[in-house]
Amino acid sequence: MKTYDAIVVGGGHNGLVTACYLQKAGLDVIVVEKNDWVGGAAVSRSLTPGFLYSNCSYVCSLFRPEIMRDLDLPRHGLQVLPYEGGAVLTRDGDYLANYREHDPHIREFARYSKRDAEAYERYSRDVTRQCRLIQPLLLRTAPDPFSFKPRDIQELLFIAKKFGDLSPHDLAQTLRFWTMSIADFLDEYFETDVIKAFLAISGIIGTALGPMSPGTAYVLLHHYMGEVDGSVGAWGFARGGMGAISKALAASFQASGGTIRTGAEVAQILTGKGRAEGVALADGEEIHGRLVISNADVKRTFLKLVDRDSLPETFLHRVRHFKMRGSSGKVNIALDSLPEFPALPKNSPCTKGDLHFTDSIERMERAYDDWKAERWSRDPMIDLMIPTQIDPTMAPPGKHFMSCFVQYCPPRVEGRDWTDADRDAFAETVIGQIADYSPGFRDRIIHMEVRTPRELEQEVGLTEGNIFQGELTFDQILFNRPVPGYAQYRSPVPGLYMCGSSTHPGGGVMGAPGRNAAAEILRDLKRHPKEMSAAHDVL
Amino acid sequence: MALDRLSARKALQNHIDHPLLETPFHPRIEALSRSQEWYVWAGYRAPLSLTDEEMEYTALRNSCGVFDISPMKKYRISGPDAEAFLDYVMVRNVAKLGIDRVHYTCWCNDFGHVIDDGTLFRFGPESFRLCCQERQYEWLSDAADGFRVNIEEETRAVAGLALQGPTSCRVLLNAGFSGVEALRPFQLARFPHEGGEIVISRTGFTGDLGYEVWVSHDAALSIWDRLFSAGALHGIQAVGYGALNRCRIEAAFIVPNQDFMTADHVLRPDRARFPDEIGLDWLVDPAKPYFNGRRAILEAREGKGLRHVLVGLEVEGNVPADGAIVYHRGKHEAGIVTAGIWSPMAKRNIAIASLDRPYGSDITKDFFVEIYALREGRYHKLMKRATIVSRPFVKLERRTKTPPDDF
């Protein structure tokens, strides 16, 4: 029976990235995926004729350009389209638009507050400074500060040098920034509620915390350190939806000789003689490999797939308490025509970006209050996009795909599991909110896909439907992600590695965990991958 | 009240239809523009040149060039504590600034790094105007907390025209502003215009005889027409930034975010500069008991906190060294040229450079600049000797002569 060099459990984008690098380095790799398609949460599926949805993730910025280049993803069909615009529609009938050009952007803020308009420059500078500190760590394994191994010490020195470039004042700011709430952080710059609400969104997306919860300022940073072709902090659409990323990865993997098995759910990671030696599928079939790399989240991997008796007790305790709480839902809608938002001027570039209706921090925090009570938010925060205004490949001409990311949405409803009726009621709060700002909206709907944490867990496999495979709070990043002592992609089981977003540097369609995991695996195999280019310089 | 605010806010929604602002002089400048070379200055469409940069430079040095300075940020600072507030903010001693006088100044953050430079006009005991390059409303408002002072931005409300060059006084006299000839450098006076009042100050950015005319937004076009008809026989010519830039380099005036980076905009903390590092040490008044950044500046002076120095260079040959790396003995990198031109007035190849100490402070000889001259598809790599020279590169007697020579 064939033994693969490496088996990747789960064909999410990180699993595919790891698989690509290992295959290119000469290993014989198989990716085993339970669904009939690959991509995990980076998928584009057609659920109604003529339309393609970005079913889960929906925008692209974090995906590392080094990976796109190394794996030749453009040749395999990946194209990232920058978009401009965005707006928060306010309850008083006005809006706060987001313009790409600097001066109009400042002028737009100045409509609300001249002071805040200027504060935005200082704010951008400060956030960018923090990004410059963190960004170089994305494509590096987080050093273990307590191991005292030469490589960890060397990496710690690298980080120390980054910090050394900062003034004592900036260092103090950094520590504050990593621990503050986004609301407190924004209060230090701005006086206008809608401006704060607009900027706070990045601090809560994907996170089971409210804007007033400490730690959310760092989450904002996580959303800022991406880029679109050198434009740092910019976001774009993957042409053809986020599945285009996975499709390109799969094509690249197969082009270098890798094997993908879809419709094959891994039920167990097999261990023997203290090592990982393969996987057992749900139908009983076994696939053998010298290494097993799990793209599944840390809870799913170690609480469901690996035998209890191969794992240390404290490790398991940490895994059980790794915070991975579902906080968001997704509503994907096929529309017969482009919805109108009368508050926005005609032909405004802001409709091409992300639209929001939450115009105050307080509303955002109240939405979180519902989550704490295990209810979906009655007044949710919606991140609404209509990518088909730019991307011609996802809907017939004149028709549109609308992606609504919705927060908050609890993993369980008032102590019980989600029901279909709950799901429909959840969708109704979303549709209702949009319809308040867009007359005739309901009549345009052709088809709708509604995804609560239940669907995200069942289909994608994300525990509790947490989109980041674990929250990005300060206690769960760097050498603490996912578990102290196991933050370098290796697990307690020899031969078993982790490569998903549960590992450093975390979630979002970034690919960095997948690449870093491949680097560690190749290091263990004493191979020096020439296919892995050096991390780009910070711009 | 809330409704008024809402409708005022909504009325401004359509700003995006005009992404570039236009100054009140724009109709005249647009009509004169043959080259249609524009750049964006603080959100305004501003001319890089109108006809030909060379000719416009010549007008500035030979007759009277007119440059629209309306995009300059302007803040009216008034109230019982205005002087105390400005003394707190500015490194220079504002108490020494007389009424109807102007002085050049800069202000720093707590760490002694320069936030911006600008000119401060004093109209009365409690009334000032600050003109500068970068937006300062937020910083000034925050700094004003606790002072009885009112800060109002008047960038839009007040338009400005710089008239610079040997015949500029004559043009103003012809326009009927008699008495202007008595203005000494950095002095201002008020004159009637169309039932209102304008301010003329003997200030400018060229190191030449010159004046700046400050008018309300509504009076802009009428003052333009008044000046241009008065100057018709005296070589009055509208100029763009390209020509002005040549003059300011000859005068060794620095431009924020070109010759130094403003502290509020730098991402790399080591790019911020003390006044002493950009040639503004003479503005700092250590005798003042307190001003923002004072302690940091004095500590830097006492210790080894000053790491850079701004110098004027004369570069061998005639190829401008703009952007060139400065080397010491052709080996050690010593700094960067932030602005460089061939100076028609000095007949020298001049440059403003920022050097890393001890270069420029203790080591003052044996510098070279590395110039990449693009010549028909190939770079000519030139290593040219550069000598530190005193600034300004061009010193004109007529800049200060009062009354000015008549033409």
Side-chain angles (χ1 to χ4, degrees):
Chain A
M1 192 176 168
K2 175 164 182 173
T3 300
Y4 288 92
D5 291 329
I7 302 168
V8 176
V9 179
H13 67 278
N14 277 312
L16 291 168
V17 167
T18 304
C20 283
Y21 277 110
L22 296 183
Q23 184 74 34
K24 270 180 169 282
L27 273 65
D28 185 13
V29 183
I30 182 169
V31 173
V32 186
E33 164 60 46
K34 78 179 170 75
N35 289 321
D36 294 331
W37 57 88
V38 290
V43 285
S44 308
R45 298 181 59 214
S46 180
L47 301 177
T48 187
F51 289 85
L52 211 52
Y53 292 163
S54 277
N55 306 71
C56 302
S57 61
Y58 51 101
V59 278
C60 179
S61 165
L62 302 175
F63 197 65
R64 297 307 310 162
E66 294 91 336
I67 299 173
M68 300 190 207
R69 180 216 164 274
D70 290 350
L71 305 180
D72 233 344
L73 300 187
R75 191 165 64 85
H76 294 290
L78 177 62
Q79 204 181 334
V80 180
L81 315 168
Y83 63 77
E84 63 173 329
V88 182
L89 284 81
T90 54
R91 280 167 295 176
D92 61 15
D94 197 357
Y95 59 86
L96 175 76
N98 178 22
Y99 296 117
R100 201 174 150 90
E101 310 98 301
H102 181 74
D103 285 309
H105 192 69
I106 297 287
R107 233 170 282 147
E108 178 68 6
F109 274 29
R111 290 205 294 122
Y112 288 84
S113 158
K114 186 182 187 49
R115 210 197 140 276
D116 284 3
E118 295 192 10
Y120 181 71
E121 295 191 336
R122 199 157 53 84
Y123 166 84
S124 311
R125 177 204 64 182
D126 288 351
V127 174
T128 309
R129 278 189 182 177
Q130 298 299 335
C131 277
R132 293 177 55 80
L133 186 66
I134 284 287
Q135 209 200 19
L137 308 183
L138 296 179
L139 288 184
R140 306 179 85 93
T141 296
D144 186 335
F146 312 112
S147 85
F148 303 108
K149 287 181 193 153
R151 214 180 112 231
D152 286 318
I153 291 170
Q154 195 187 325
E155 284 294 301
L156 283 171
L157 286 174
F158 173 83
I159 297 178
K161 194 181 168 313
K162 292 275 157 213
F163 280 97
D165 294 341
L166 295 182
S167 67
H169 175 78
D170 287 322
L171 278 174
Q173 282 300 104
T174 298
L175 291 182
R176 296 182 68 234
F177 186 80
W178 286 0
T179 50
M180 281 172 100
S181 76
I182 185 65
D184 284 344
F185 181 67
L186 292 168
D187 276 344
E188 294 192 355
Y189 296 88
F190 304 105
E191 59 189 13
T192 309
D193 224 13
V194 62
I195 290 178
K196 288 190 269 191
F198 165 66
L199 295 169
I201 294 164
S202 300
I204 58 159
I205 281 207
T207 304
L209 293 171
M212 296 178 182
S213 310
T216 42
Y218 177 81
V219 178
L220 170 108
L221 196 59
H222 192 80
H223 288 100
Y224 247 80
M225 48 198 176
E227 62 174 280
V228 176
D229 296 313
S231 179
V232 177
W235 285 79
F237 296 120
R239 193 170 190 266
M242 292 299 278
I245 295 175
S246 310
K247 229 166 116 181
L249 284 167
S252 170
F253 177 56
Q254 285 167 324
S256 50
T259 311
I260 295 176
R261 276 275 302 270
T262 53
E265 181 170 5
V266 171
Q268 195 188 359
I269 292 172
L270 302 170
T271 53
K273 297 180 196 134
R275 277 191 68 85
E277 53 185 21
V279 297
L281 302 184
D283 64 8
E285 182 189 341
E286 291 189 355
I287 302 174
H288 294 277
R290 290 176 190 91
L291 303 174
V292 177
I293 302 129
S294 178
N295 182 194
D297 67 61
V298 66
K299 281 184 193 274
R300 195 178 178 89
T301 303
F302 295 102
L303 303 180
K304 290 196 174 149
L305 301 181
V306 179
D307 284 340
R308 167 70 185 83
D309 54 13
S310 349
L311 296 168
E313 160 57 24
T314 305
F315 173 81
L316 273 177
H317 181 81
R318 291 264 176 250
V319 170
R320 272 187 218 108
H321 294 281
F322 188 65
K323 281 180 298 171
M324 197 181 289
R325 305 176 297 191
S327 62
S328 52
K330 184 87 196 292
V331 181
N332 298 312
I333 308 171
L335 294 167
D336 193 38
S337 53
L338 189 65
E340 282 171 19
F341 293 94
L344 296 176
K346 285 243 177 299
N347 304 319
S348 165
C350 42
T351 61
K352 294 199 169 73
D354 39 347
L355 299 180
H356 308 269
F357 311 104
T358 307
D359 58 1
S360 78
I361 293 274
E362 194 193 329
R363 275 177 79 190
M364 215 176 263
E365 185 70 18
R366 296 270 178 239
Y368 177 53
D369 288 343
D370 287 331
W371 181 89
K372 285 183 268 185
E374 293 198 306
R375 291 189 299 262
W376 60 87
S377 306
R378 281 158 295 187
D379 178 20
M381 196 287 292
I382 303 178
D383 188 23
L384 181 158
M385 317 219 52
I386 309 173
T388 42
Q389 292 171 96
I390 296 170
D391 184 346
T393 67
M394 298 182 79
K399 307 202 185 301
H400 290 278
F401 156 56
M402 177 190 274
S403 160
C404 302
F405 176 87
V406 188
Q407 209 152 308
Y408 294 80
C409 196
R412 286 164 65 80
V413 180
E414 292 175 341
R416 59 179 164 77
D417 287 334
W418 280 83
T419 64
D420 289 353
D422 291 334
R423 184 195 59 201
D424 296 344
F426 159 73
E428 176 50 34
T429 56
V430 176
I431 301 302
Q433 193 183 71
I434 299 170
D436 284 347
Y437 295 86
S438 182
F441 176 70
R442 288 171 193 276
D443 301 334
R444 300 179 201 269
I445 299 174
I446 298 174
H447 174 268
M448 193 159 72
E449 179 194 29
V450 185
R451 327 195 78 191
T452 69
R454 173 180 70 159
E455 283 76 23
L456 290 173
E457 174 152 12
Q458 278 172 4
E459 184 193 297
V460 187
L462 294 166
T463 300
E464 291 197 18
N466 181 298
I467 65 168
F468 291 148
Q469 287 199 351
E471 270 162 37
L472 291 166
T473 46
F474 197 52
D475 55 324
Q476 301 200 149
I477 62 169
L478 295 167
F479 56 88
N480 280 325
R481 192 172 186 91
V483 173
Y486 300 96
Q488 300 185 336
Y489 311 97
R490 296 174 190 84
S491 79
V493 182
L496 175 61
Y497 294 81
M498 300 171 263
C499 73
S501 296
S502 286
T503 59
H504 170 78
V509 182
M510 194 187 301
R515 186 178 121 131
N516 294 350
E520 289 300 326
I521 292 162
L522 293 171
R523 192 169 278 124
D524 286 351
L525 296 175
K526 311 248 183 297
R527 289 184 196 231
H528 299 284
K530 45 184 186 300
E531 291 78 10
M532 206 172 278
S533 59
H536 290 172
D537 293 329
V538 173
L539 290 166
Chain B
M1 185 64 191
L3 268 179
D4 287 353
R5 272 211 306 275
L6 174 62
S7 50
R9 195 186 335 126
K10 281 188 166 179
L12 295 171
Q13 283 179 345
N14 64 354
H15 69 87
I16 191 61
D17 297 339
H18 313 279
L20 289 184
L21 299 174
E22 290 171 357
T23 78
F25 300 114
H26 190 76
R28 297 293 182 271
I29 296 173
E30 170 75 56
L32 288 173
S33 175
R34 294 209 313 258
S35 60
Q36 290 291 319
E37 277 196 294
W38 306 93
Y39 74 112
V40 181
W41 176 12
Y44 285 82
R45 177 202 281 272
L48 207 48
S49 77
L50 290 98
T51 53
D52 178 287
E53 192 180 303
E54 199 98 21
M55 298 300 141
E56 291 166 26
Y57 167 82
T58 305
L60 282 166
R61 290 298 189 209
N62 172 55
S63 51
C64 176
V66 178
F67 184 70
D68 179 4
I69 52 174
S70 306
M72 190 86 95
K73 296 286 160 204
K74 299 177 274 300
Y75 303 98
R76 177 68 71 135
I77 298 160
S78 53
D81 289 345
E83 183 185 295
F85 165 67
L86 286 163
D87 243 339
Y88 162 78
V89 166
M90 300 295 169
V91 299
R92 202 165 178 180
N93 193 330
V94 178
K96 288 184 184 167
L97 177 62
I99 291 169
D100 291 345
R101 299 281 305 167
V102 185
H103 73 197
Y104 174 60
T105 184
C106 76
W107 51 104
C108 299
N109 62 19
D110 298 14
F111 312 108
H113 295 136
V114 178
I115 292 176
D116 204 352
D117 66 351
T119 43
L120 187 64
F121 293 65
R122 184 165 203 167
F123 298 121
E126 298 182 2
S127 176
F128 296 84
R129 177 187 294 151
L130 180 64
C131 293
C132 57
Q133 186 74 5
E134 298 296 332
R135 297 178 175 96
Q136 299 294 340
Y137 179 78
E138 181 227 4
W139 194 82
L140 290 171
S141 312
D142 284 6
D145 193 20
F147 289 94
R148 288 171 302 161
V149 60
N150 181 50
I151 295 166
E152 192 189 338
E153 176 161 1
E154 44 185 27
T155 304
R156 281 299 265 172
V158 176
L161 275 185
L163 274 73
Q164 304 282 306
T167 66
S168 53
C169 182
R170 175 39 55 197
V171 171
L172 289 168
L173 288 172
N174 280 9
F177 300 115
S178 62
V180 78
E181 73 284 358
L183 283 180
R184 308 180 67 80
F186 292 108
Q187 193 182 359
L188 66 85
R190 291 160 197 79
F191 296 89
H193 172 70
E194 304 248 307
E197 195 178 71
I198 64 161
V199 168
I200 299 179
S201 54
R202 186 162 170 191
T203 47
F205 207 50
T206 56
D208 210 317
L209 173 65
Y211 301 85
E212 288 170 332
V213 179
W214 308 92
V215 297
S216 71
H217 189 281
D218 299 337
L221 291 180
S222 62
I223 197 85
W224 177 285
D225 295 341
R226 185 171 170 179
L227 293 172
F228 272 74
S229 62
L233 299 178
H234 294 274
I236 194 168
Q237 185 174 349
V239 304
Y241 182 71
L244 183 81
N245 190 43
R246 293 191 191 193
C247 294
R248 74 91 188 172
I249 295 171
E250 290 184 323
F253 291 140
I254 53 173
V255 173
N257 290 316
Q258 173 148 359
D259 298 292
F260 72 98
M261 299 295 132
T262 52
D264 271 353
H265 293 89
V266 293
L267 296 177
R268 298 158 186 82
D270 66 334
R271 302 299 203 274
R273 292 288 181 266
F274 289 107
D276 303 54
E277 295 177 323
I278 54 173
L280 302 185
D281 40 334
W282 61 280
L283 297 177
V284 179
D285 184 357
K288 284 205 295 181
Y290 189 82
F291 58 87
N292 212 50
R294 179 179 184 271
R295 188 170 154 184
I297 293 169
L298 297 189
E299 278 177 6
R301 285 179 175 184
E302 281 166 23
K304 286 187 175 156
L306 302 175
R307 298 208 170 84
H308 310 273
V309 64
L310 187 124
V311 297
L313 295 178
E314 187 187 330
V315 179
E316 161 193 28
N318 61 356
V319 184
D322 200 15
I325 296 177
V326 182
Y327 289 94
H328 182 244
R329 295 197 174 134
K331 280 200 297 270
H332 302 284
E333 204 174 312
I336 183 172
V337 170
T338 56
I341 55 161
W342 169 260
S343 162
M345 288 295 276
K347 294 290 181 263
R348 281 172 168 82
N349 195 21
I350 59 171
I352 298 171
S354 171
L355 302 187
D356 306 330
R357 297 178 190 225
Y359 300 117
S361 56
D362 304 311
I363 302 170
T364 54
K365 288 193 162 57
D366 298 327
F367 293 109
F368 293 83
V369 294
E370 185 178 40
I371 304 168
Y372 285 81
L374 188 59
R375 297 283 179 264
E376 299 181 330
R378 278 190 86 93
Y379 275 113
H380 289 200
K381 190 174 148 188
L382 312 170
M383 258 303 183
K384 293 292 182 187
R385 189 169 281 281
T387 314
I388 295 180
V389 295
S390 66
R391 290 164 286 142
F393 303 100
V394 171
K395 199 167 180 176
L396 298 166
E397 203 186 315
R398 63 183 181 237
R399 187 182 79 85
T400 49
K401 192 171 180 192
T402 313
D405 291 337
D406 201 4
F407 295 95

